[in-house]
Amino acid sequence: MVDKTYDIIVVGGGHAGCEAAAAAATMGAKTLLVTMNLQTMGQMSCNPAMGGIAKGQIIREIDALGGLSGIISDKSAIQFRMLNRSKGPAMWSPRVQSDRVLFSTYWRHELENISNLDFYQEMVVGLLVKKNKIIGIQTTLGIEIKSKAVILTNGTFLNGLIHIGQQQFGGGRAGEKAAKGLTAVLNELGFENGRMKTGTPPRVDGRSLDYRKMEEQLGDYNPSKFSFLPCTQTLTQQKSCHITYTNQEVHAELEKGFDQSPMFNGRIQSIGPRYCPSIEDKIHRFRDKTRHQLFIEPEGWQTVEVYVNGFSTSLPQDVQMASLKKVKGFENVKFFRPGYAIEYDYFPPTQLNHTLETKLIQNLYFAGQINGTTGYEEAAAQGLMAGVNAVLKIREQEPLVLQRNQAYIGVLIDDLILKGTKEPYRMFTSRAEYRTLLRQDNADLRLTRIGHKIGLASDDRMQSTESKEKKSKQVIEFLNKTSFEIDTVNEILTQKGKSPLRQSDKYAKLLARPDIQGTDLMRMNQIELFCLFNSINPEIFQQAEIQIKYGGYIEKEKNNAKKLLSLEKHKIPTSMDYKQLSSLSNEAKEKLSSIRPQTLAQASRISGINPTDISVLMIHLAK
């Protein structure tokens, strides 16, 4: 291990590190994963769940490209829900409740079954750099391991500091020490860093809760899954979650500890996630709210440990206990461990290229929370893209940069590189201007060819995608050319309280109506026989339904995306001296010089760059 030179070294065994190592090794690169604890690879540090609003789309994109997060989420799932079903398909977002232990176990199993992936347990404290190019790492024992590229995925461990009330202690998460030394090394190389904060709620004993006083939250009646591959199965049995609420008594108990809260007494000065505030922050900022929702989530099949989602806190343990006992159903609650806040170092992502390679040091990549993101899904996506691009770079092949109209992953990375972030970045559907194109149901149709071309997605996956595409087209063709029986349709319309039709028409025109769903058509003999004879499953029929029902919106977004691509064709030389362009605003000169966009399209998305600045650049490039 010490005597050989690896293609890729991945530092960190969290969600970003696992995807990075898996991607690089699957593509054939000799890869080493170095982590401080091999027993916690792929561990869910916070909530035991994957997916959710926009995050579910990211997991399906990772799966479509050939990553592992979707497969592992399916194998470890204890409940599946498709969120936002009441809205249009662009908003549908899959989410699973996971078995925390199984999730980590399956990650290790999958990684150990990749033949050219090695593992080593130790802390990395140094980087080996020669002529502004990474050549390896150094561990706490002074061991030097050489490589052609290095990917840092340090999560919340860089100088991690845990807060519980007025107590502080170093740690990357509960029970694990912080990573020391690497921030200073990166600072010496010229990188700027900042501090961010996140938090987690108490874990409690489910046997001490009275679920009869809570609302039961069931999984979907017909659950789906994340992976497009048939190697994972849908759930036949599910565990329920529950919902309860805080109240004014709870808030009064929490406020008693505000003077001891590191959030309010100045001990924590870094910025936390705006969209996932602590419970003390909620009642401080939203004093008009008399209650806040709590999701009571089981941690797995074979444990009584429960995650209290919505009660993230860094208050003293006695305050946490006293306030939770005022929550309905929690009167006799027993703690497994208190909630806490954690501060850690991150490096503003404007110091990266779109490949996630650093601008200062060649072949050095950052992925995950080191870039200022929050969430397993955002981290895993970055890890996969860093792993892929590190391999392509050392092979001197074209990099893989997903565009904003291709994937949520493309939106995520583009936002980070061009806009940066001063608070933990979380993905939302509202961040994607082409979300009608970037649906969870078509991630394989959008991305599997790309993953297969670079050697990440398997031949079986590619064949499955081609089959889905072919059969979807068959369904659309059948619906466009086949007329329905009017009596059957009018019977359905009457049941829905709608006016009957006077004459027959094509199925496609019927399906375009907002009051007719694909499930209605599936009850008609002609459709049933067609699907039976052509082995068309409900997922494929749904794909065809979306393309017919929302065809106008899809075409509009495709046309808008084409306009964007025209600006992507205008390349900006890396040597461009923006300060010499007198017509540019001072803010534009400063930001363009710092971020160094590669195209006019990228320049147009930088905060503070206005259309006039883009016109100036376009004229200059034309000259």
Side-chain angles (χ1 to χ4, degrees), residues 471-482 530 548:
K471 289 182 177 181
S472 295
K473 288 179 179 178
Q474 286 178 346
V475 174
I476 293 171
E477 184 180 346
F478 174 83
L479 296 175
N480 275 318
K481 73 179 184 181
T482 308
F530 170 77
I548 289 173

Side-chain angles (χ1 to χ4, degrees), residues 43-266:
Q43 182 159 309
M44 293 176 141
S45 303
C46 199
N47 64 315
M50 291 291 279
I53 306 301
K55 293 168 175 280
Q57 282 88 328
I58 289 176
I59 296 298
R60 291 213 109 189
E61 290 177 353
I62 290 170
D63 181 75
L65 286 164
L68 294 175
S69 288
I71 291 171
I72 289 162
S73 296
D74 288 343
K75 288 184 175 181
S76 60
I78 62 176
Q79 188 195 83
F80 181 94
R81 293 178 67 220
M82 184 68 76
L83 308 183
N84 279 345
R85 274 286 194 184
S86 61
K87 301 179 181 179
M91 304 297 286
W92 297 352
S93 302
R95 183 184 190 271
V96 297
Q97 199 67 32
S98 302
D99 184 307
R100 185 188 299 275
V101 173
L102 285 180
F103 189 89
S104 182
T105 300
Y106 281 124
W107 253 122
R108 180 157 182 166
H109 174 78
E110 292 288 343
L111 291 172
E112 288 181 354
N113 276 277
I114 303 175
S115 59
N116 55 331
L117 176 57
D118 292 342
F119 305 89
Y120 188 60
Q121 179 174 296
E122 207 186 331
M123 186 188 298
V124 173
V125 295
L127 300 174
L128 308 179
V129 177
K130 185 176 182 180
K131 295 181 180 178
N132 289 330
K133 187 174 183 178
I134 198 83
I135 59 170
I137 61 165
Q138 185 180 48
T139 71
T140 47
L141 294 178
I143 296 171
E144 294 186 351
I145 307 176
K146 301 293 180 63
S147 69
K148 298 174 184 176
V150 171
I151 304 171
L152 298 184
T153 68
N154 302 82
T156 60
F157 283 78
L158 290 178
N159 291 325
L161 183 65
I162 291 174
H163 298 264
I164 302 177
Q166 297 187 26
Q167 294 180 305
Q168 295 178 332
F169 49 92
R173 61 182 163 222
E176 296 184 60
K177 62 184 179 181
K180 303 286 187 180
L182 205 51
T183 294
V185 170
L186 290 167
N187 289 155
E188 289 176 8
L189 290 170
F191 291 97
E192 297 177 4
N193 77 282
R195 295 282 279 177
M196 278 190 178
K197 170 236 155 195
T198 190
T200 192
R203 310 305 199 272
V204 303
D205 188 335
R207 296 170 299 180
S208 66
L209 305 182
D210 189 348
Y211 292 107
R212 294 170 300 177
K213 296 181 179 179
M214 308 179 199
E215 302 169 23
E216 186 176 16
Q217 188 179 50
L218 299 169
D220 287 351
Y221 181 72
N222 289 310
S224 184
K225 61 191 186 80
F226 272 118
S227 182
F228 292 100
L229 287 176
C231 66
T232 62
Q233 304 300 314
T234 56
L235 287 167
T236 56
Q237 179 184 357
Q238 301 188 65
K239 289 201 78 167
S240 292
C241 297
H242 289 80
I243 297 173
T244 188
Y245 298 86
T246 64
N247 53 56
Q248 289 178 311
E249 285 187 89
V250 175
H251 299 177
E253 285 291 340
L254 288 166
E255 287 181 328
K256 291 178 182 178
F258 276 12
D259 61 330
Q260 303 175 69
S261 169
M263 287 285 296
F264 301 132
N265 63 20

Side-chain angles (χ1 to χ4, degrees), residues 421-437:
T421 185
K422 293 184 178 179
E423 62 182 24
Y425 178 101
R426 178 179 177 176
M427 179 54 70
F428 290 102
T429 50
S430 58
R431 295 189 189 273
E433 60 269 44
Y434 303 113
R435 54 186 171 272
T436 304
L437 301 179

Side-chain angles (χ1 to χ4, degrees), residues 27 365 387-400 454:
M27 290 174 68
Y365 295 76
V388 165
N389 278 308
V391 174
L392 295 175
K393 176 74 183 295
I394 64 175
R395 291 177 177 170
E396 298 183 350
Q397 295 177 357
E398 282 293 311
L400 176 60
I454 61 175

